[in-house]
């Protein structure tokens, strides 16, 4: 860690020279975050920002400083409960940032225990089954719009596909899966987040009750049976994390790569180029438009020095994966042909399912381009709408056109979501008192109490 000259700090006052904090919200940021990162980087590896009006944070925009933070949980711990007490209860970034007992927001032995349950359960998943399921699901989704000649690939494909994969892996009934994903999207979009949180929590609890009552060969059951013996509450939080981490970024990787493939002349003729072109597009997106743009908040417990700056205690330090990846200090020569980008994070919290997540995106795109070879954007690329989020680089729509094609036969199990019987047939409905207790507990965690 560097030593800092006295007064060169990034405390609540903002830029040491101007006092200004750059907003990570609003039309300018949403329209072109790369330009904002470029401006911020001109002043060094760290930038004073606002995550929402009146919510200060330090954004790490340099590659070296990002790695230093991610690899040093001692100085940059993940538990933000003290910080959460300093922001209003209705602070719009709380639903994403407030503490939950999951592997993303814990450190040390607690983190290792939670992470072990996830990685051991993921290791039991047969990759061939996942591959076959993704291919068949992709076919089934494409069938739904193939004869129409147009589609919104975001909602009808990129978002839908990871949902199906998640529900398949966890053996979810269809309605439970749908409530989970719409709840998670509303939380990330800050749309009535308290109700969305409640809807999502109820759905996850139903899944846990179902799998406790009747374990099967799926991730949720393996997590419940893991020797670490997580409580229902702890399982709830790991599932909550995997749903958030697993569906939103995956959808954004698929959509951002499709956008690049369909708009950049370097990828014209991708069909004849085959899957290498898709891998190139995925690499480029992971470098320049990573699905998780700014996240991984840590909360120093005391003042710390980083990249020559003094950071205050209890104020979020947020990693800008998007800015760090395009840091000119790191150099273009490092980027070409390698995967040293930070799109999967780094250090003890690095994404535990990078290979699987990439495989799903790759299959999804390959299938689509095979079935609809003359796919084209339905609007000029600069007119594609982006979602307003300080955390994700996410399109709000991806309209496309293509020559209509006939539906193909799909494997029978993909014509509906995994054939898990309705919860009522296996698990007793949760008693009202239990639902209420969970609901209040979740709202307390959400507020960081
Ligand atoms: C394209 C898709 C994905 C991207 C870009 C992505 C990116 C990331 C990043 C940047 C982190 C580090 C977060 C941090 O340090 O705070 C992370 C962590 C994590 N990811 Fe992924 N991820 C993706 C897919 C998935 C999927 C499909 C799952 C599981 C179903 C998943 C589960 C997790 C978990 C559990 C963590 C936390 C690990 C820990 O704290 O030890 N991710 N991911």
């Amino acid at each position: 860690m560097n030593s800092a000259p006295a007064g060169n700090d990034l405390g609540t006052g903002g830029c040491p020279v101007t006092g200004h904090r750059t907003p990570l919200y609003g039309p300018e940021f949403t329209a072109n975050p790369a330009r904002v990162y470029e401006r911020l980087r001109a002043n060094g590896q760290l930038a004073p920002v606002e995550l929402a009006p009146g919510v200060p944070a330090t954004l790490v925009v340099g590659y070296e400083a990002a790695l230093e933070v991610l690899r040093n949980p001692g100085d940059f711990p993940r538990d933000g409960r003290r910080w959460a007490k300093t922001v209003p209860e209705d602070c719009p970034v709380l639903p994403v940032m407030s503490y939950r007992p999951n592997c993303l927001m814990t450190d040390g032995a607690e983190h290792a225990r939670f992470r072990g349950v996830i990685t051991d359960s993921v290791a039991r998943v047969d990759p061939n089954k996942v591959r076959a399921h993704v291919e068949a699901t992709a076919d089934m989704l494409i069938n739904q719009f193939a004869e129409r000649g147009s589609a919104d690939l975001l909602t009808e494909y990129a978002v839908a596909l990871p949902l199906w994969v998640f529900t398949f892996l966890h053996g979810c009934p269809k309605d439970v899966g749908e409530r989970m994903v719409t709840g998670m999207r509303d939380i990330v979009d800050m749309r009535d987040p308290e109700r969305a949180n409640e809807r999502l929590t109820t759905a996850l609890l139903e899944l846990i009750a179902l799998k406790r009552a009747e374990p099967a060969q799926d991730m949720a059951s393996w997590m419940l049976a893991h020797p670490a013996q997580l409580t229902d509450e702890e399982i709830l939080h790991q599932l909550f994390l995997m749903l958030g981490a697993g569906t939103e970024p995956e959808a954004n990787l698929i959509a951002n790569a499709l956008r690049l493939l369909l708009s950049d002349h370097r990828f014209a003729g991708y069909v004849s180029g085959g899957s290498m072109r898709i891998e190139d597009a995925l690499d480029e997106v992971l470098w320049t438009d990573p699905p998780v743009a700014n996240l991984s908040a840590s909360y120093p417990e005391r003042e710390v020095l980083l990249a020559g700056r003094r950071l205050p205690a209890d104020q979020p330090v947020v990693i800008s994966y998007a800015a760090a990846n395009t840091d000119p200090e790191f150099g273009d020569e490092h980027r070409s042909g390698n995967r040293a980008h930070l799109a999967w994070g780094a250090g003890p919290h690095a994404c535990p399912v990078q290979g699987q997540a990439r495989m799903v995106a790759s299959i999804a795109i390959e299938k689509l381009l095979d079935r609809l070879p003359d796919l084209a954007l339905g609007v000029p690329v600069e007119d594609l709408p982006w979602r307003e989020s300080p955390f994700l680089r996410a399109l709000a729509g991806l309209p496309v056109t293509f020559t209509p094609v006939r539906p193909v036969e799909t494997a029978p199990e993909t014509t509906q979501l995994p054939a898990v019987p309705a919860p009522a047939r296996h698990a007793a409905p949760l008693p009202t008192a239990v639902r209420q207790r969970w609901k209040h507990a979740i709202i307390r965690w959400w507020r960081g109490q």
Side-chain angles (χ1 to χ4, degrees):
M1 203 145 306
N2 301 334
S3 64
N8 189 7
D9 65 55
L10 282 170
T12 47
C15 168
V17 181
T18 63
H20 175 68
R21 283 189 174 274
T22 301
L24 294 193
Y25 54 86
E28 193 203 342
F29 177 73
T30 304
N32 195 345
R35 197 160 51 209
V36 174
Y37 302 138
E38 198 182 318
R39 219 174 45 227
L40 293 178
R41 265 197 316 256
N43 292 319
Q45 300 220 13
L46 309 176
V49 295
E50 269 194 349
L51 299 173
V55 184
T58 296
L59 191 70
V60 183
V61 292
Y63 187 95
E64 288 300 328
L67 266 187
E68 188 165 343
V69 172
L70 291 167
R71 288 176 175 165
N72 183 1
D75 281 332
F76 296 97
R78 295 298 181 99
D79 182 342
R81 274 176 285 189
R82 285 201 334 214
W83 162 77
K85 291 194 176 104
T86 68
V87 297
E89 282 187 0
D90 60 353
C91 170
V93 293
L94 265 188
V96 173
M97 290 179 66
S98 68
Y99 174 81
R100 290 189 172 90
N102 64 28
C103 67
L104 196 64
M105 292 177 173
T106 51
D107 297 291
E110 199 183 10
H111 168 252
R113 177 167 170 264
F114 291 149
R115 188 171 166 109
V117 172
I118 293 177
T119 51
D120 290 348
S121 304
V122 168
R124 294 180 66 175
V125 174
D126 178 347
N128 293 325
K129 282 198 181 144
V130 176
R131 173 174 285 278
H133 181 78
V134 174
E135 284 180 353
T137 304
D139 268 333
M140 186 271 297
L141 288 171
I142 296 165
N143 279 352
Q144 291 176 357
F145 52 75
E147 290 173 295
R148 207 194 301 151
S150 67
D152 177 358
L153 285 185
L154 186 82
T155 52
E156 296 183 80
Y157 195 69
V159 169
L161 192 120
L163 157 63
W164 282 57
V165 174
F166 184 93
T167 54
F168 169 73
L169 291 176
H170 293 83
C172 290
K174 179 175 178 180
D175 73 306
V176 176
E178 278 172 1
R179 276 182 287 139
M180 283 179 190
V181 170
T182 55
M184 185 53 77
R185 277 181 73 83
D186 285 353
I187 287 178
V188 175
D189 285 346
M190 299 173 193
R191 239 186 342 240
D192 198 356
E194 187 155 354
R195 276 191 54 192
N197 210 358
E198 193 186 327
R199 204 164 65 237
L200 175 56
T201 304
T202 307
L204 287 170
L205 288 171
E206 283 176 23
L207 179 66
I208 293 169
L210 173 69
K211 297 300 166 184
R212 280 263 186 240
E214 188 146 315
Q217 293 302 311
D218 55 53
M219 284 241 336
S221 303
W222 295 331
M223 287 171 69
L224 284 162
H226 192 277
Q229 297 198 323
L230 267 52
T231 62
D232 282 5
E233 175 185 332
E234 290 170 330
I235 293 283
L236 171 74
H237 286 290
Q238 311 323 306
L239 287 175
F240 196 112
L241 168 64
M242 291 211 298
L243 180 62
T247 54
E248 280 286 341
E250 188 74 52
N252 299 335
L253 179 58
I254 295 170
N256 294 358
L258 281 169
R259 169 183 170 270
L260 181 67
L261 281 159
L262 298 180
S263 65
D264 192 309
H265 65 90
R266 288 171 303 144
F267 293 99
Y270 48 76
V271 176
S272 53
S275 63
M276 269 317 288
R277 307 302 288 153
I278 295 170
E279 297 306 317
D280 288 350
L282 287 174
D283 277 339
E284 183 157 330
V285 164
L286 289 166
W287 272 110
T288 60
D289 245 341
V292 178
N294 305 303
L295 203 71
S296 310
S298 57
Y299 308 84
E301 287 167 358
R302 55 192 176 281
E303 199 176 85
V304 291
L305 294 172
L306 177 72
R309 298 278 179 82
R310 208 164 50 209
L311 306 184
D314 296 325
Q315 194 184 89
V317 177
V318 174
I319 305 292
S320 178
Y321 293 109
N325 275 351
T326 48
D327 180 355
E329 290 283 307
F330 187 60
D332 278 346
E333 72 280 7
H334 289 96
R335 269 186 277 281
S336 57
N338 90 35
R339 292 183 179 168
H341 57 71
L342 298 179
W344 308 108
H349 293 277
C351 184
V353 295
Q354 302 172 26
Q356 294 90 334
R358 190 180 168 112
M359 178 184 88
V360 169
S362 184
I363 298 171
I365 295 172
E366 194 172 348
K367 234 334 157 191
L368 191 72
L369 300 182
D370 274 357
R371 294 267 318 266
L372 309 173
D374 65 350
L375 197 63
L377 285 181
V379 297
V381 64
E382 53 281 2
D383 291 347
L384 288 174
W386 292 95
R387 273 161 65 193
E388 247 195 69
S389 165
F391 306 114
L392 299 174
R393 181 66 172 151
L395 285 166
L398 186 56
V400 290
T401 57
F402 51 87
T403 303
V405 295
R406 298 172 79 91
V408 296
E409 290 272 309
T410 56
E413 75 268 20
T414 59
T415 56
Q416 53 182 28
L417 278 168
V420 179
R425 303 228 302 265
H426 289 272
L430 289 170
T432 312
V434 175
R435 280 175 190 265
Q436 284 300 99
R437 183 166 65 78
W438 279 102
K439 179 184 152 193
H440 291 309
I442 290 289
I443 290 171
R444 277 201 311 279
W445 286 314
W446 179 30
R447 290 176 178 157
Q449 293 160 352

